[in-house]
Amino acid sequence: MRALLRGWDPIGVFSIPGPAPPDEYDCLIDPLVERLDRGDGADDLIRYLTQRLHDHFGLSADPDKLRQFVGRALEWRAGGTLL
């Protein structure tokens, strides 16, 4: 999940030259995995992430990139592969 979040990089911290904190999105890992485990769908995950990004990071996500990330997260959970 950490690799998926870093790949999405909703606040753009990994696109800035120089080292980025490897745990930047760790605050999202457990809540996302819990939601995936209980079977939340794409719309629920999008609502959660939209609110969380706003409340925690003070930013809004690109809707297309958010939907792509949620699709990858759902695929990751369906495959059962832990990163």
Side-chain angles (χ1 to χ4, degrees), residues 23-80:
D23 62 349
E24 183 66 31
Y25 301 120
D26 281 5
C27 61
L28 298 173
I29 293 173
D30 288 340
L32 275 173
V33 171
E34 288 173 16
R35 283 168 171 76
L36 289 165
D37 285 347
R38 73 177 182 215
D40 283 12
D43 290 339
D44 295 322
L45 295 171
I46 288 169
R47 275 191 295 276
Y48 164 73
L49 288 167
T50 298
Q51 188 65 47
R52 183 71 174 156
L53 289 175
H54 178 268
D55 293 349
H56 185 75
F57 295 103
L59 299 170
S60 58
D62 175 288
D64 292 330
K65 290 181 180 179
L66 173 57
R67 188 160 292 282
Q68 290 171 4
F69 168 77
V70 166
R72 285 192 301 273
L74 289 166
E75 288 175 21
W76 171 82
R77 176 44 69 209

Side-chain angles (χ1 to χ4, degrees), residues 2 5-26 57 59:
R2 178 183 282 158
L5 287 164
R6 287 179 70 164
W8 174 33
D9 194 19
I11 65 172
V13 71
F14 292 101
S15 64
I16 300 170
D23 62 349
E24 183 66 31
Y25 301 120
D26 281 5
F57 295 103
L59 299 170

